[in-house]
Every structure is written in structure tokens, then in C-alpha cells.
Amino acid sequence: MKPNVEEFIKFHGLLTKDAPGYEPFYFPLERNGKDPLKSISWKQNRKTFEQAQELMRKGYNIGIAATDSDPLVIVDVDDIKEVGELKPTLINQSRKRIGRHGIYFTDQPLAKSIFDNTAKQNIATEDAGEVRANWQYVVAAGSYVTCSPEEIEKIPISDRENAGYYTVMV
């Protein structure tokens, strides 16, 4: 299976639609994987939207990062049954079809300590997921990572055709 470039294009369009001037921090991930390429630090491997599309066409997955200088905040929910629905926003569904990535923007300042009351900070939560807002990333929609047979069995039959794909929820 290959990444779905059209899904990535849809994701990018929705992400940037109401965010004039925002340039997403995209970077390549391994083919069929969630890890950055080992040949260069992902923080030094930023790609434009056009470059990211081309890499996807070649079979690479794409990551999107929230950095210390942009307004992006990503809420990474590992199992939506444990957390409940996210506030309305751009939401991607994970490859196992049980997790979500809520994509938000904030004008709050970057946290300088864990005691700062701001959305722009990394927050771990036991087993529910995390908030990723300062040099952390998730896999972008359109990417593909194989699911094991056991993981596929847990996906409703009506959604198994999407197993392995990160997709935009509309």
C-alpha cells in the first residue's frame, strides 16, 4: 500500500484554509513508518507542501510538527473511547481507526514552565495520548502504516478498507 497523496492535499487545504500566513512544518517519515528518516534530524529537514507531496508520491509518509514559533497545537488521542469527542476542529483519524489527532491554533504564548497556563506546551497524559505543541509531531493524513491482522480485526468491517491510513474526518 502507498500513501494517499489526495488525502494529504485535502488535509493541507483544510489546515491552511483559515490560517493566512501559516506554513506547516512538514518533514519526511520512513516509508510505511512513523519515524523520521535516520539520515538527518527531522528538525533540520523541513519540506514545503509541494516537496511533501512529491515525497508521498515516492512512498514516504509525512509528519507535521508543532514548533516553538508557530500557533499549532496537536491533541493526540490514542483511543477516543477513553477520552470522548474532541472540540470541533480539523480532526484526523489514526491508522488503527481508534485514535484521533485534533489540530488547533492558539495565540497563547509558548509555555516557559509546566506551571504556565497556556495551550502552547507539551502535556503527557497517562495512556490517553498527549498535547503536542512544542517540537513534537504526528503522522499527517494521507500517510500509510501497515496494521497487524490483530489490529485489523478490531476495526469495524465498514472501515477496514481504511486500515493503515491516516485520514481526515469530515
Side-chain angles (χ1 to χ4, degrees):
M1 301 295 278
K2 285 187 148 190
N4 182 336
V5 180
E6 294 306 313
E7 190 73 10
F8 178 66
I9 292 168
K10 179 167 90 174
F11 167 74
H12 177 79
L14 292 168
L15 176 68
T16 59
K17 182 177 118 184
D18 295 322
Y22 170 68
E23 295 289 330
F25 191 103
Y26 293 130
F27 61 97
L29 303 175
E30 297 173 334
R31 288 181 170 106
N32 197 32
K34 301 190 285 183
D35 294 328
L37 302 179
K38 293 179 182 13
S39 59
I40 184 172
S41 165
W42 66 269
K43 293 179 181 180
Q44 304 300 315
N45 203 11
R46 185 177 195 164
K47 301 298 180 194
T48 65
F49 170 58
E50 292 76 16
Q51 291 169 323
Q53 281 182 74
E54 195 53 39
L55 284 163
M56 258 198 175
R57 286 188 178 88
K58 294 178 180 178
Y60 291 94
N61 287 330
I62 299 297
I64 180 169
T67 74
D68 60 352
S69 61
D70 70 26
L72 189 66
V73 175
I74 305 165
V75 177
D76 182 4
V77 177
D78 293 333
D79 187 343
I80 200 69
K81 292 177 191 168
E82 298 296 321
V83 176
E85 292 303 315
L86 296 171
K87 289 172 59 176
T89 187
L90 174 57
I91 299 174
N92 291 336
Q93 191 163 24
S94 71
R95 68 186 184 91
K96 294 188 274 183
R97 319 311 290 163
I98 60 171
R100 306 275 192 282
H101 298 150
I103 311 292
Y104 301 91
F105 291 103
T106 185
D107 57 3
Q108 295 179 346
L110 183 68
K112 292 183 173 79
S113 81
I114 61 169
F115 302 108
D116 287 349
N117 186 16
T118 176
K120 194 65 179 160
Q121 63 180 307
N122 299 329
I123 304 170
T125 63
E126 297 295 320
D127 295 326
E130 51 277 327
V131 175
R132 299 177 179 210
N134 183 10
W135 288 112
Q136 290 192 351
Y137 74 91
V138 295
V139 180
S143 296
Y144 178 83
V145 178
T146 304
C147 288
S148 70
E150 296 80 24
E151 291 168 334
I152 292 172
E153 281 297 314
K154 294 178 183 175
I155 298 171
I157 292 171
S158 62
D159 201 20
R160 286 189 185 163
E161 68 186 11
N162 293 313
Y165 283 102
Y166 291 80
T167 57
V168 174
M169 296 182 70
V170 184

